[in-house]
Amino acid sequence: MIRQAQTQDINQILKLLHQVNMVHHKLRPDLFKPHTTKYDAQELEALMQDPKSLIFVFDSEGRILGHAFCLIQEVKSHRLLEDIKTLYIDDICVDESARGQHVGKALFEHIRNYAQTIGCHNITLNVWEGNTPALSFYQHMGMGVQKTGMEIILH
C-alpha cells in the first residue's frame, strides 16, 4: 500500500535514506559523506508538515519497503518561463531487500497519478552520472532527458 509518510515511519525512512546515501557515496565519495543521511528525524517531521513537500511510502504490513520524497514547484508570472506546476522527485528509494518486486514502479505510478490529479505539467528529477540502475529505471518509466548538468573537477 502506498500512503503519505507518518511520524511513526521516521526510523524506517532513515534506514532507507542511509541506503540512498551509500549509493551516492560509492559513486561520488568526493561529494557524499559516508554513514549519514540527507535529513535527520526532526527535519523529516518538519517535511511531513510542509504542504509543498510530500513523502510517500510503500507500506507492506508495517514494513516500509520504499519511499519517494517529492516537492511541488510552481512558476508564476516569470519573465521568461511559462506558468507551470511541476512535481519534483527529490529522492526515491526501494529497500535493498525488496528490489525487483516492483516497489519502485508502484511508487512511480502513484507519483504520476498524484501529479496528474493536482494539475502538474511534468515530473522532474535528477540522476547522478554512474547510477545506471536508476537511470534505466526512470527511462523504463517513460522519462527522458530535460537538461544536462556538467562539471569540471579542479583538484
Side-chain angles (χ1 to χ4, degrees), residues 5 13-14 16-17 38-39 43-44 47-48 53-57 67-71 87-93 107 111 124:
I13 292 170
L14 286 169
L16 292 174
L17 284 170
K38 186 178 203 169
Y39 305 108
E43 292 166 326
L44 285 174
L47 282 173
M48 290 176 188
S53 176
L54 302 158
I55 304 172
F56 296 111
V57 293
H67 72 235
F69 286 68
C70 303
L71 297 167
L87 190 76
Y88 173 72
I89 300 174
D90 183 46
D91 193 67
I92 193 167
C93 179
L107 279 166
I111 292 165
T124 62

Side-chain angles (χ1 to χ4, degrees), residues 5-134:
Q6 301 166 353
T7 55
Q8 67 264 24
D9 302 323
I10 287 177
N11 287 335
Q12 292 186 73
I13 292 170
L14 286 169
K15 289 177 185 175
L16 292 174
L17 284 170
H18 177 71
Q19 288 181 27
V20 170
N21 184 65
M22 290 310 294
V23 167
H24 293 140
H25 171 70
K26 288 175 185 172
L27 286 172
R28 291 297 304 264
D30 59 321
L31 298 177
F32 291 92
K33 296 176 183 178
H35 312 298
T36 189
T37 57
K38 186 178 203 169
Y39 305 108
D40 64 24
Q42 285 180 310
E43 292 166 326
L44 285 174
E45 196 164 346
L47 282 173
M48 290 176 188
Q49 307 306 317
D50 182 350
K52 292 282 186 186
S53 176
L54 302 158
I55 304 172
F56 296 111
V57 293
F58 187 104
D59 183 340
S60 177
E61 299 174 4
R63 186 166 168 240
I64 305 302
L65 299 181
H67 72 235
F69 286 68
C70 303
L71 297 167
I72 299 168
Q73 302 172 327
E74 291 189 74
V75 173
K76 291 183 180 177
S77 303
H78 190 277
R79 178 180 300 223
L80 180 64
L81 301 174
E82 296 286 348
D83 288 358
I84 191 171
K85 183 190 264 189
T86 296
L87 190 76
Y88 173 72
I89 300 174
D90 183 46
D91 193 67
I92 193 167
C93 179
V94 173
D95 188 278
E96 293 167 337
S97 68
R99 294 193 183 143
Q101 298 176 29
H102 306 290
V103 171
K105 181 179 181 185
L107 279 166
F108 192 89
E109 288 175 352
H110 183 83
I111 292 165
R112 183 190 338 237
N113 291 338
Y114 181 84
Q116 287 175 327
T117 299
I118 65 168
C120 288
H121 171 74
N122 59 354
I123 297 171
T124 62
L125 55 79
N126 295 315
V127 179
W128 285 94
E129 185 66 26
N131 193 349
T132 309

